[in-house]
Amino acid sequence: AWLSQLIAYGGYQVVGKAAITFLFAFCVAAAFAAVTRRVYNCTHSAMFALGGFALTMWVEYQQLIVHRPQIVGFLFYSVLLSILLRREWSNKNWLVVPAMFALWANMHGSFVVGLGLLGCFIIGRGVDLVRRTGKLASLFRDNKLRRLVLLTELGAVAALLNPYGLSLYTQVLSFGSNPNLQSIVEWKSLHIRLAQGQAAAAAALILFMVYRVSPRRVSTAEVLTLTVFGAAALWTSRMLVWWGPLAGCFAAIHAGAAFRKWQGKEISPEPPVRA
């Protein structure tokens, strides 16, 4: 996290503690703005956009009360999720995502979580293609799948632009096995006695109810990301920070679709999968 520490120290040298507070608040505000805007674009409803924001904040608030470099990772993760949930592809992604991973890798080790999120969307897209077309050959003809794969490769390579090179991956992936972490509460398993465990359980219940009534098509990527990051959060509560935005976004988007159906309005169709 050398770059985020250097930026924070530079700000502290210039204006004091207020710089740390400002940088932290900026990252939190920008992260929530990214996911809230995406929910609004999907639902066309400020009510559900704010509902998704509230649910995410409820799950996340205990993870966001400590000033630490992880907040930069939370910002980049939220922006990446917003990009992946966007219906239309933008050519700016070819520049934005690799640049983001280059910065992310130098500001916090959670950049591997971003690569994991991209991997879940790749697998999810592939499963949906095969399930809907019944042909493995569709995997090689789908433009969206090719873009996701190439974007992940570019992000993984861009992350190598750091002072440690390839060894950064080794250090980050082995960090969780450090024996010192065993005495830290947030690295222990998530359980219902914790306030954040209760918030996560409530969010999971809301997701279950919303998915039960939603007329919107459920993508495999949604199920996969919620399951993978949810299981990681149960294993160690520190991972809950990455599950919260998923829960808030998907719950709000599907709740909005269910509400539109209840009102008798047409649900916006998703792009068809071509064989």
Side-chain angles (χ1 to χ4, degrees):
W2 71 273
L3 183 55
S4 56
Q5 293 170 346
L6 186 63
I7 293 172
Y9 180 72
Y12 178 80
Q13 287 289 90
V14 176
V15 297
K17 291 186 292 184
I20 307 298
T21 301
F22 171 79
L23 290 171
F24 184 82
F26 171 80
C27 289
V28 173
F32 278 103
V35 295
T36 303
R37 180 189 177 191
R38 183 59 56 224
V39 173
Y40 178 79
N41 289 342
C42 291
T43 62
H44 306 290
S45 169
M47 177 178 68
F48 287 103
L50 292 175
F53 163 79
L55 183 60
T56 305
M57 178 60 80
W58 188 20
V59 175
E60 297 282 14
Y61 77 97
Q62 286 196 325
Q63 298 283 339
L64 302 179
I65 58 177
V66 180
H67 290 49
R68 54 189 174 192
Q70 176 182 273
I71 194 61
V72 179
F74 178 67
L75 169 59
F76 287 139
Y77 178 85
S78 300
V79 172
L80 180 61
L81 177 61
S82 177
I83 291 173
L84 292 173
L85 293 180
R86 185 175 180 176
R87 188 166 296 173
E88 301 83 13
W89 174 262
S90 173
N91 287 328
K92 294 179 182 179
N93 295 342
W94 298 121
L95 294 176
V96 172
V97 173
M100 188 169 64
F101 271 98
L103 283 172
W104 195 349
N106 288 282
M107 299 184 81
H108 195 253
S110 58
F111 72 94
V112 295
V113 178
L115 294 175
L117 181 65
L118 281 165
C120 287
F121 272 80
I122 290 173
I123 296 172
R125 179 66 178 178
V127 171
D128 286 341
L129 283 168
V130 174
R131 182 165 54 88
R132 296 179 201 172
T133 65
K135 301 176 182 178
L136 286 174
S138 63
L139 297 175
F140 303 98
R141 294 196 293 263
D142 185 66
N143 288 330
K144 183 175 181 179
L145 183 60
R146 282 198 296 265
R147 286 195 296 259
L148 284 172
V149 172
L150 182 56
L151 202 62
T152 304
E153 293 172 342
L154 290 174
V157 172
L160 295 175
L161 300 175
N162 69 81
Y164 315 103
L166 189 60
S167 64
L168 181 65
Y169 280 95
T170 304
Q171 294 298 320
V172 169
L173 294 174
S174 62
F175 180 74
S177 60
N178 190 309
N180 292 331
L181 300 178
Q182 305 306 315
S183 60
I184 301 177
V185 173
E186 65 180 13
W187 280 95
K188 296 182 179 180
S189 299
L190 184 67
H191 54 78
I192 200 67
R193 292 190 300 274
L194 295 174
Q196 59 184 356
Q198 296 166 9
L205 181 60
I206 291 172
L207 280 167
F208 175 80
M209 293 188 295
V210 167
Y211 273 114
R212 185 72 179 82
V213 299
S214 174
R216 184 184 175 94
R217 178 182 293 156
V218 180
S219 68
T220 303
E222 293 179 40
V223 178
L224 192 59
T225 53
L226 286 170
T227 302
V228 170
F229 287 97
L234 289 175
W235 182 263
T236 169
S237 60
R238 183 73 178 269
M239 294 296 291
L240 189 62
V241 68
W242 316 117
W243 186 79
L246 298 171
C249 282
F250 294 143
I253 290 172
H254 284 278
F259 184 71
R260 287 176 65 85
K261 180 183 178 182
W262 178 73
Q263 287 185 316
K265 296 181 180 180
E266 184 179 353
I267 306 300
S268 299
E270 295 185 4
V273 175
R274 289 181 170 85

